[in-house]
Amino acid sequence: MSTIAHARSHALTHAWRGVVAGLAGGVVFGVLMAMSGMLPMVAMLVGSQSALVGAVVHLAISAVVGLVFGLLAGAVADRAGVTVAAGLVYGAAWWVLGALILMPAMLGMPLFPMNATAMMSLMGHLAYGLVAALALYGLSRSEV
């Protein structure tokens, strides 16, 4: 197998593992969002206020964000500590980018809202990162 084909194969493996890991993190974060009534706000991104629509949008975002995490961390995902640290940093980064910048901007709200909802969102993003990292680690360890 050529070096390029081998690298492409690894990238595809990291990507699908990232999607699965992202969905695992998204389910945990989604439960927290459902319990705190945040899913209708996520649904507003697509012009709805339905919690069910919010859950679907949230899982779609979780899968894409997980795919990127798999591509970024997949090469080190067989090392638990590094993967968990990367997941927590990645979750925190997405809290800043997603919850504090993109989502408020898309919904016409002030950027960098520092309130109780933002702090709950930080906890959810960290939970997402932790669960996604553990899932990615588990998927990576399954082939060893």
Side-chain angles (χ1 to χ4, degrees), residues 44-94:
M44 291 170 63
L45 293 170
V46 295
S48 175
Q49 292 186 2
S50 162
L52 179 60
V53 171
V56 170
V57 169
H58 171 71
L59 287 176
I61 293 169
S62 295
V64 171
V65 169
L67 182 146
V68 174
F69 181 61
L71 291 173
L72 292 174
V76 298
D78 60 339
R79 298 181 6 219
V82 173
T83 307
V84 167
L88 291 171
V89 169
Y90 193 68
W94 271 105

Side-chain angles (χ1 to χ4, degrees), residues 7-21:
R8 186 175 298 137
S9 172
H10 277 290
L12 288 173
T13 299
H14 296 323
W16 80 257
R17 287 178 180 164
V19 169
V20 172

